[in-house]
Amino acid sequence: MTTKTNHFKLSSSSILIILLVIGQFISVSTSNAQTRAFLFNNGYNYLLADKEKAVEQFTKAIEIDSNFSAAYFYRGIAEFKLGHYEQAINDFTRVNQLDTNLKVAHMYKGFAYRQLGDNQKSLESLSTYLDSQNELSALDYNMLGKAKMKAGDLDGAIDNFAAALTESKNESQHYYLFLALFGNRDYDEALDQINLAIVENNDFYGYYINRGNTLFMTGNFNKALVDYNYAITLEPEVPDSYYLRARTLDTLGRHEKAILDFSRAIELNPTDGTYYSKRGNARFSSGNKRAACMDWTIAGNLGYYEDFDKIKSLCD
């Protein structure tokens, strides 16, 4: 009888100890959960005001819960905005491992890869994100088209920009498609798109420069000059407008006028070696070898070497 009673008392003590341990565990777990949520909220609130502080708070939340996918995601956002692209990619990759439903992490990872100059991985990540969407908007098609263009897939970019146009017709859509077509040397189709962009907005000098470039590439030099002239009328302080008009004049053999435009481009931007180099060519063609050699030398000093070898063969 005594043995049974002692056994019963021992079991009661054991149960009491177990209950105390469980109570402590529940208390600690509840405390950790509250602290984790508190740190996460702190980090979220700091995202706009102090991104480094946000990273610190999200990191502390992750130290409590290493599977806290939302903390990884928003820490990745903060790191991205701080320019810490590799850290951001690591966080977004961790999100992909923890929460397959948070597809938007693939998109941000694509943006981070793009900032690092890895256009192929950027395209892969953005494609993964867009493949998960039931319907694509014009914005989605544009995003993918830009990524493909940067990765060198101009045919794919053309398809995406054309798809964007079916969703939303505006000057930007026409311009994006123009860029891909121009890059792919589809000049006739590119000309159609830049004309449509001009119809939408006939006051933007850049469209006339781009149409001028397209006309130049198809040998329509005089028509290109008309567009460069109009671009300069709309915005007279853009050095490239003078450079492009000078290039066209030089191609037409009007070297003295070309030299004036090359000189104006140099006045507006004296650090571009291209301008000096091409003015050197025009000066040489007009018979001023000494001035040409000086221009080629300056161009080389500025890091532009396309015509630099002429110094050895043509200059004293």
Side-chain angles (χ1 to χ4, degrees), residues 60-298:
K60 289 180 178 179
I62 290 168
E63 288 171 356
I64 294 173
D65 182 357
S66 61
N67 294 321
F68 196 175
S69 60
Y72 283 106
F73 177 74
Y74 284 106
R75 186 174 71 175
I77 297 291
E79 295 282 22
F80 179 89
K81 291 181 180 295
L82 286 167
H84 305 158
Y85 302 119
E86 291 181 353
Q87 294 93 319
I89 288 169
N90 290 337
D91 278 342
F92 295 136
T93 299
R94 183 66 177 140
V95 172
N96 297 146
Q97 294 168 347
L98 292 171
D99 188 351
T100 57
N101 292 318
L102 201 56
K103 304 295 186 182
V104 72
H106 289 288
M107 181 180 73
Y108 283 106
K109 186 159 65 171
F111 293 155
Y113 276 125
R114 184 172 65 192
Q115 292 297 324
L116 290 173
D118 194 332
N119 295 321
Q120 191 57 47
K121 286 187 177 179
S122 174
L123 175 57
E124 290 171 4
S125 294
L126 292 173
S127 296
T128 298
Y129 165 68
L130 293 173
D131 286 344
S132 70
Q133 305 303 300
N134 294 326
E135 294 182 4
L136 298 184
S137 66
L139 185 64
D140 293 329
Y141 282 120
N142 281 335
M143 181 170 62
L144 191 55
K146 290 175 186 177
K148 286 182 178 179
M149 194 155 59
K150 283 182 174 292
D153 181 8
L154 290 172
D155 288 330
I158 289 168
D159 289 341
N160 286 136
F161 291 140
L165 258 177
T166 64
E167 299 293 325
S168 174
K169 284 183 168 56
N170 57 59
E171 64 178 283
S172 296
Q173 307 295 357
H174 291 300
Y175 182 62
Y176 291 142
L177 182 53
F178 159 78
L179 288 175
L181 289 165
F182 185 88
N184 210 36
R185 300 182 181 180
D186 298 329
Y187 297 124
D188 289 338
E189 294 178 60
L191 192 59
D192 290 339
Q193 293 303 316
I194 200 64
N195 281 334
L196 289 169
I198 289 173
V199 169
E200 296 288 337
N201 181 0
N202 61 9
D203 291 327
F204 179 49
Y205 77 95
Y207 291 158
Y208 294 96
I209 288 177
N210 280 290
R211 187 169 70 179
N213 291 342
T214 309
L215 291 166
F216 180 90
M217 296 305 294
T218 58
N220 293 303
F221 303 123
N222 287 317
K223 288 184 178 180
L225 283 176
V226 172
D227 275 336
Y228 295 141
N229 289 340
Y230 195 59
I232 289 170
T233 300
L234 290 172
E235 187 56 66
E237 300 299 314
V238 178
D240 271 353
S241 298
Y242 295 95
Y243 165 75
L244 292 166
R245 187 170 71 176
R247 177 191 65 173
T248 308
L249 289 166
D250 198 40
T251 301
L252 290 169
R254 298 161 66 179
H255 306 302
E256 294 299 335
K257 286 190 175 182
I259 290 167
L260 291 175
D261 270 349
F262 282 130
S263 297
R264 178 58 178 149
I266 288 169
E267 287 175 15
L268 292 169
N269 181 8
T271 62
D272 192 325
T274 310
Y275 300 162
Y276 292 94
S277 191
K278 300 312 175 188
R279 186 177 68 176
N281 292 344
R283 280 176 161 174
F284 186 81
S285 295
S286 66
N288 193 342
K289 185 174 76 170
R290 182 176 180 181
C293 292
M294 184 178 298
D295 274 343
W296 293 330
T297 300
I298 295 171

Side-chain angles (χ1 to χ4, degrees), residues 39-50:
L39 291 167
F40 176 82
N41 289 333
N42 270 355
Y44 189 83
N45 290 331
Y46 275 120
L47 267 177
L48 291 177
D50 189 338

